[in-house]
């Protein structure tokens, strides 16, 4: 296995040693990795070997930029992957053993470690919610398959994909089997760590140790890898690794999902290297969001290599950023979630649009932009049901879903045409604090009205934000006014 460097960035054999970090003013320096001072999250399963202790297995910790986004203990409701399954009926394609599988383009079924890891976590969440042992047994089936199909290499365990994958349909660009993925390694790490916490079975701690080592290893020419450092010193947990690593896809959601695996492993062990890697992964997100992933006024981009906005993954990015806010306690990730949510609001809505009396222009929204839909319309005070909310250019529009104007779009105009209730709501697992002097009034908002109910005070916490009457509001999290809404003055209204 070769060691490598790229400019001033490389990796170093051994447990947590040094890292490339950037100071507040942007200066770069090499420093020794600090011990993790954050306390591991409370747990009901086996206790870690010691806060900040290193677990067994190979360590070739990379040198990378860190901004101090260390993991912190988060409440159970704030942890990634809260989804459950609705019943004992299996969801998706499973084989005769009850394990999730994937049908390839050739018609054959294959193991898919990301699908199996995700389904296992959902089943485990359902067990924790219901207490029904069937769901735990089903989760264990998924975990055993992931573990048993792993292949030892480089002193750790790797989860191979046995089918080829062509992301863009470009000849010669497909990943040939067997290929490996940082997202798969991280998802399995989450499943194994959570099973260790829930069951107390040391087998799953050992399985987690085996997988964790893979995320500390840099690229090699002759073996699997999933972690690398780009030319700017930022750590990547790569969903689609390629050689040389600069050809890799740099997928945002896959990178963050793998970081969630590091967080779960830190919850289990208190491992300082896991915390350092998580810090590096979160620092990469903070750096590259404005420089590569955000597309102002549009859906965010799926990856840096493809640079294509992806409406389907945009909402996933928003939710992942909100999780990073809760797992680090750092407001920067909540602010980025807010910006992305405003760039491309969740399209689906079901609520009435209220029109003030007078003349209104309706529109067609096309690939070429916003076009007037014929003549203006004169309305008495009226409402129309809308089913879509969309940003186009500098405006927000609602699609009318019923009546003779079905399919036309109405522009959101304060006091003229707006939803009757708060929409496009973003909920925070970790409440946020109002900044500055804060608003002096709180309102109950319903049926197109905002009724004054009191003064929220300067230290109020906000649990959600949303839009009403063309303005952004925050929902109070606690106290006698919990549930009421306050108007937010700008993008920096919340810490």
């Amino acid at each position: 296995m070769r060691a490598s460097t790229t400019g001033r960035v490389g990796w170093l054999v051994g447990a947590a040693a040094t890292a490339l970090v950037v100071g507040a003013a942007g200066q770069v320096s090499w420093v020794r990795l600090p011990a993790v001072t954050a306390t591991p999250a409370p747990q009901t399963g086996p206790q870690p070997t010691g806060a900040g202790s290193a677990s067994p297995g190979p360590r070739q910790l990379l040198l990378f930029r860190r901004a101090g986004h260390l993991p912190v203990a988060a409440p159970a409701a704030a942890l990634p992957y809260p989804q459950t399954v609705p019943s004992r009926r299996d969801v998706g394609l499973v084989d005769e053993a009850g394990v999730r599988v994937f049908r390839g383009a050739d018609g054959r079924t294959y193991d898919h470690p990301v699908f199996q890891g995700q389904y296992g976590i959902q089943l485990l969440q359902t067990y924790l919610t219901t207490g029904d042992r069937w769901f735990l047994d089903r989760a264990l089936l998924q975990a055993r398959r992931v573990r048993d199909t792993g292949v030892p290499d480089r002193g750790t365990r790797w989860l191979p994909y046995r089918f080829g994958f062509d992301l863009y349909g470009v000849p010669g660009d497909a990943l040939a089997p067997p290929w490996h993925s940082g997202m798969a390694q991280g998802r399995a790490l989450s499943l194994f760590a959570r099973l260790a916490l829930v069951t107390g079975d040391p087998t799953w701690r050992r399985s987690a140790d085996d997988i964790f080592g893979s995320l500390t290893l840099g690229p090699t020419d002759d073996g699997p890898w999933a972690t690398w450092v780009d030319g700017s010193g930022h750590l990547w947990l790569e969903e689609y690794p390629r050689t040389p690593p600069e050809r890799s896809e740099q997928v945002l959601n896959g990178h963050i999902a793998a970081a969630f695996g590091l967080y779960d492993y830190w919850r289990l062990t208190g491992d300082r290297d896991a915390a350092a890697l998580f810090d590096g992964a979160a620092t990469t997100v903070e750096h590259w969001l404005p420089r590569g992933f955000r597309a102002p006024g549009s859906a965010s981009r799926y990856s840096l290599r493809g640079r294509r906005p992806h409406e389907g993954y945009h909402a996933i990015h928003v939710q992942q950023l909100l999780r990073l806010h809760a797992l680090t306690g750092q407001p920067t990730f909540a602010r980025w979630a807010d910006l992305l949510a405003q760039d491309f609001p969740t399209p689906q809505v079901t609520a009435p649009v209220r029109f003030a009396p007078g003349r209104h222009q309706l529109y067609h929204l096309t690939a070429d932009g916003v076009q007037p839909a014929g003549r203006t319309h004169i309305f008495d005070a009226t409402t129309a049901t809308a089913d879509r909310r969309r940003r186009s250019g500098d405006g927000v529009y609602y699609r009318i879903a019923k009546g003779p104007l079905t399919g036309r779009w109405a522009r959101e105009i304060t006091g003229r045409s707006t939803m009757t209730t708060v929409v496009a709501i973003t909920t925070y697992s970790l409440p946020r604090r109002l900044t500055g002097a804060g608003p002096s009034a709180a309102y109950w908002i319903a049926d197109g009205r905002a009724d004054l109910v009191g003064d929220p005070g300067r230290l109020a916490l906000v649990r959600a934000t949303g839009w009403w009457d063309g303005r952004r509001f925050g929902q109070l999290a606690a106290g006698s006014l919990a549930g009421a809404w306050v108007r937010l003055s700008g993008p920096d209204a919340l810490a």
Side-chain angles (χ1 to χ4, degrees):
M1 179 175 62
R2 67 178 177 86
S4 175
T5 59
T6 303
R8 290 177 294 173
V9 182
W11 50 87
L12 183 68
V13 176
T18 60
L20 181 66
V21 297
V22 181
Q27 70 273 19
V28 177
S29 59
W30 297 96
V31 300
R32 182 163 296 278
L33 291 177
V36 177
T37 56
T39 303
Q43 39 197 290
T44 57
Q47 297 302 302
T49 56
S53 64
S55 305
R59 300 291 173 100
Q60 187 199 14
L61 198 70
L62 309 178
L63 303 175
F64 48 84
R65 296 181 187 262
R66 295 174 59 191
H69 298 314
L70 292 172
V72 298
L79 296 177
Y81 315 124
Q83 297 84 1
T84 58
V85 296
S87 70
R88 286 189 173 194
R89 184 185 297 273
D90 278 310
V91 178
L93 181 65
V94 298
D95 64 14
E96 64 278 1
V99 176
R100 175 70 63 82
V101 290
F102 169 78
R103 191 176 303 280
D106 58 4
R108 298 172 56 192
T109 58
Y110 295 89
D111 288 308
H112 193 301
V114 165
F115 286 5
Q116 290 163 350
Q118 182 65 36
Y119 191 38
I121 293 170
Q122 291 174 346
L123 290 162
L124 185 60
Q125 281 295 112
T126 309
Y127 166 70
L128 293 173
T129 301
T130 65
D132 187 339
R133 175 76 195 203
W134 185 90
F135 294 103
L136 176 59
D137 291 339
R138 216 65 169 176
L140 290 167
L141 284 177
Q142 316 305 313
R144 293 187 187 109
R145 177 69 62 82
V146 173
R147 179 192 63 197
D148 294 346
T149 54
V151 175
D153 201 329
R154 304 180 68 189
T156 183
R157 184 165 291 272
W158 300 86
L159 308 174
Y161 285 85
R162 300 293 184 183
F163 55 90
F165 185 71
D166 189 354
L167 186 60
Y168 295 120
V170 178
D173 201 43
L175 292 164
W179 56 278
H180 306 84
S181 169
M183 185 177 184
Q185 301 295 118
R187 189 66 56 83
L189 186 56
S190 280
L191 177 58
F192 295 162
R194 292 184 184 202
L195 281 171
L197 288 167
V198 170
T199 68
D201 184 345
T203 299
W204 298 114
R205 165 63 193 267
R206 291 193 293 272
S207 296
D209 290 342
D210 285 345
I211 290 290
F212 172 69
S214 69
L215 295 177
T216 73
L217 301 177
T220 178
D221 291 334
D222 55 2
W225 62 272
T227 307
W228 67 290
V229 178
D230 67 22
S232 64
H234 289 92
L235 177 76
W236 287 95
L237 307 171
E238 185 60 55
E239 184 172 355
Y240 301 116
R242 298 176 186 273
T243 302
E246 291 76 15
R247 293 184 59 243
S248 297
E249 193 65 29
Q250 296 169 278
V251 178
L252 180 58
N253 83 286
H255 172 81
I256 298 177
F260 290 161
L262 295 171
Y263 180 88
D264 279 324
Y265 187 71
W266 171 81
R267 275 205 305 145
L268 172 68
T269 66
D271 187 280
R272 65 176 178 266
D273 292 354
L277 288 163
F278 177 83
D279 181 1
T283 299
T284 298
V285 173
E286 181 184 35
H287 175 82
W288 280 109
L289 261 172
R291 294 168 175 84
F293 289 110
R294 186 189 177 206
S298 177
S300 49
R301 298 181 179 96
Y302 174 72
S303 69
L304 292 187
R305 183 169 183 249
R307 295 189 65 80
R308 301 178 184 179
H310 200 299
E311 296 183 6
Y313 277 93
H314 182 81
I316 294 174
H317 295 162
V318 172
Q319 290 303 312
Q320 287 180 320
L321 290 169
L322 293 172
R323 297 292 171 189
L324 283 177
H325 169 230
L327 303 187
T328 63
Q330 299 290 333
T332 183
F333 297 109
R335 294 190 189 107
W336 280 115
D338 290 343
L339 283 172
L340 263 61
Q342 293 171 46
D343 283 335
F344 188 76
T346 301
Q348 292 80 13
V349 297
T350 303
V353 177
R354 176 165 292 175
F355 293 95
R359 190 177 297 273
H360 294 265
Q361 177 68 62
L362 300 180
Y363 300 89
H364 294 301
L365 267 60
T366 69
D368 296 326
V370 180
Q371 306 294 332
R375 61 182 176 84
T376 58
H377 297 265
I378 299 175
F379 294 145
D380 295 327
T382 189
T383 59
T385 300
D387 66 350
R388 302 278 287 185
R389 182 177 187 267
R390 179 175 163 186
R391 178 177 293 279
S392 183
D394 61 353
V396 171
Y397 297 81
Y398 299 107
R399 187 174 70 180
I400 297 174
K402 294 181 180 179
L405 300 176
T406 296
R408 310 288 178 87
W409 294 78
R411 179 164 181 160
E412 182 179 69
I413 302 174
T414 299
R416 293 274 298 152
S417 51
T418 188
M419 287 285 188
T420 60
T421 188
V422 181
V423 296
I425 295 175
T426 299
T427 302
Y428 308 108
S429 299
L430 187 67
R432 300 176 66 188
R433 180 175 52 81
L434 292 168
T435 60
S440 59
Y443 304 88
W444 293 117
I445 298 176
D447 299 324
R449 293 181 45 174
D451 296 322
L452 180 65
V453 291
D455 183 344
R458 295 182 59 183
L459 301 179
L461 296 176
V462 167
R463 68 188 181 197
T465 55
W467 290 82
W468 181 77
D469 198 25
R471 301 181 177 98
R472 186 169 177 241
F473 284 77
Q475 189 175 44
L476 298 176
S480 61
L481 298 180
W485 295 87
V486 294
R487 184 178 172 186
L488 301 177
S489 58
D492 298 322
L494 298 175

